[in-house]
Amino acid sequence: MSDSYLYAAARTPFGKFSGALAEVRPDDLAAVAVTGALAKTPALDPAEIGDVVWGNANGAGEDNRNVGRMAVLLAGLPTSVPATTVNRLCGSSLDAAIIASRAIETGDVDIVLTGGVESMTRAPWVLPKPSRAFPAADVTAVSTTLGWRLVNQRMPKEWTVSLGEANEQLGDRFSIARERQDAFAARSHNLADDAWNAGFYDDLVVPVVTDRKGTTVTRDEGIRPGSTAEKLAGLKPVFRPDGVITAGNASPLSDGASAVLLGSGEAAARIGTDPVARIAGRGVSALDPQMFGYAPVEAANRALKGAGITWSDVAAVELNEAFAVQSLACVDAWDVDPEIVNAKGGAIALGHPLGASGGRLLGTLAHRLKESGQRWGVAAICIGVGQALAVVLENVSGGNR
């Protein structure tokens, strides 16, 4: 068995729903991320890439027909480079990296490009195909942007509540007050703004040209500098009249793409650079569907066990902020300093384009460890319908392999 390593990561800026990236197709966003990651390893002949594993949660519109392969072709890679697309909803691009790391470790392949994409703006409405032609009644177009759609009536009703209602239930279960959630969300915005201003994201984010006039998006669109819990407290609940979840303490609908280049240790010479981090542990877990926000707790614990370390060893955590309430529930359950969680901002501020978020977490975590020189980090993400994934990274950017 070989080890697998992270060599490079890049992502597009994340745009708001119907915002700056609304006119850009998801396959074009994916191609930008591919090009951005490979630009960091100019010595690598793209023909050496043994496979591409790409994440995408929708697949109902312009991202259909294996968007990973479309990204490879649009990015101008040789047609000999294969690609597949995987769907584990919000965890799709982290799943892509996990799948690739296993392939590398078993010796099936030496170099794999992974990543993911989502354009929630451009997600289409769909009409169910009738079992017989010309239905007599009206047919409803269903949005594929987010959440359950075309639900199988055999599913228990408690499983198919909205994502927001599921997290209202989580808040009830763990007594997580609205004030804590708003404070967490404000922290996310301010840390993200600080990180951008300090240049942290300059090496991770590649610009996207959005039109023929050359309009370019260079920065995440959803960040609100100067956010405070007091300002967020004025927003109305979205899912319950007396609820705690608002548009301010939940991640927004977003557009974007991410890419992560993985390889074996022996591939360093062909890639032309030393690796940044080792994939040291992986974890997957599942709960009742409505409990999805809490699923990262066990996924991360399993990843730590696989890496042979404990929370006391961890210096950095990247936890996807689907909702402030579920993030707080997870952090409360872990034996971890909350200050090391999402120290460069999280999805509440940066955005959560479903298929791209796992790659963002992994790239940000590797970059944080390289910047600090600390050894161990955890990336974790909750996934709709009751699942979660986590990965432990070991910093090897000092050449210690």
Side-chain angles (χ1 to χ4, degrees):
M1 295 286 287
S2 172
D3 285 323
S4 56
Y5 295 91
L6 186 154
Y7 281 86
R11 67 173 176 89
T12 69
F14 287 175
K16 296 190 299 183
F17 185 78
S18 298
L21 298 178
E23 299 301 317
V24 185
R25 290 173 55 111
D27 45 4
D28 285 325
L29 283 173
V32 171
V34 168
T35 302
L38 294 182
K40 297 187 175 186
T41 56
L44 173 64
D45 178 357
E48 295 279 348
I49 298 172
D51 203 358
V52 174
V53 186
W54 207 254
N56 178 245
N58 200 323
E62 296 160 337
D63 47 7
N64 75 95
R65 303 295 292 171
N66 189 359
V67 69
R69 175 63 171 170
M70 301 305 156
V72 165
L73 297 175
L74 289 167
L77 273 62
T79 56
S80 60
V81 177
T84 188
T85 300
V86 300
N87 183 351
R88 205 191 285 251
L89 302 180
C90 306
S92 295
S93 53
L94 195 59
D95 205 14
I98 288 172
I99 292 167
S101 68
R102 291 183 182 129
I104 291 165
E105 291 167 19
T106 57
D108 286 348
V109 67
D110 243 7
I111 301 170
V112 185
L113 181 64
T114 76
V117 66
E118 211 73 51
S119 175
M120 301 179 81
T121 297
R122 299 175 72 89
W125 292 284
V126 298
L127 288 172
K129 186 179 288 185
S131 54
R132 296 182 180 181
F134 309 118
D138 294 339
V139 179
T140 301
V142 178
S143 173
T144 65
T145 300
L146 181 69
W148 292 85
R149 78 279 307 244
L150 305 176
V151 179
N152 190 316
Q153 295 305 305
R154 295 174 57 215
M155 287 281 185
K157 297 300 182 185
E158 63 270 22
W159 288 358
T160 61
V161 296
S162 71
L163 302 180
E165 171 57 27
N167 278 274
E168 288 282 5
Q169 293 177 18
L170 199 64
D172 291 343
R173 178 167 180 167
F174 293 104
S175 300
I176 299 174
R178 165 78 183 269
E179 292 75 16
R180 281 191 72 196
Q181 296 177 48
D182 288 343
F184 183 88
R187 172 184 181 268
S188 183
H189 282 284
N190 290 314
L191 288 177
D193 185 54
D194 290 346
W196 267 106
N197 293 337
F200 175 83
Y201 285 112
D202 292 351
D203 189 49
L204 280 172
V205 178
V206 293
V208 177
V209 178
T210 62
D211 57 32
R212 294 180 182 178
K213 298 178 181 178
T215 305
T216 303
V217 179
T218 60
R219 180 167 167 150
D220 299 311
E221 193 180 10
I223 301 170
R224 294 291 176 263
S227 291
T228 66
E230 291 72 24
K231 291 178 182 177
L232 293 174
L235 297 176
K236 294 181 179 180
V238 175
F239 300 100
R240 293 181 183 175
D242 59 345
V244 295
I245 297 175
T246 72
N249 58 35
S251 61
L253 305 179
S254 310
D255 308 327
S258 64
V260 178
L261 182 69
L262 302 180
S264 66
E266 294 72 22
R270 282 178 288 155
I271 293 172
T273 187
D274 289 330
V276 178
R278 179 176 70 92
I279 308 292
R282 298 171 290 249
V284 59
S285 66
L287 299 169
D288 289 348
Q290 72 274 24
M291 285 290 291
F292 74 93
Y294 196 66
V297 172
E298 181 60 20
N301 289 338
R302 291 177 183 179
L304 289 171
K305 184 177 180 181
I309 63 171
T310 66
W311 280 112
S312 64
D313 299 302
V314 175
V317 176
E318 286 294 315
L319 170 64
N320 193 55
E321 299 169 354
F323 296 83
V325 65
Q326 62 82 206
S327 299
L328 289 165
C330 292
V331 174
D332 289 350
W334 292 327
D335 184 17
V336 65
D337 179 0
E339 292 304 309
I340 70 170
V341 179
N342 300 351
K344 306 298 183 180
I348 288 172
L350 301 172
H352 179 23
L354 307 180
S357 288
R360 177 191 69 79
L361 295 173
L362 210 55
T364 302
L365 180 63
H367 202 52
R368 282 181 62 189
L369 292 174
K370 182 178 180 180
E371 179 186 63
S372 69
Q374 294 167 306
R375 185 175 181 184
W376 298 104
V378 175
I381 192 166
C382 66
I383 301 167
V385 200
Q387 298 191 85
L389 292 171
V391 168
V392 171
L393 289 185
E394 180 186 19
N395 180 14
V396 297
S397 60
N400 300 316
R401 282 192 280 152

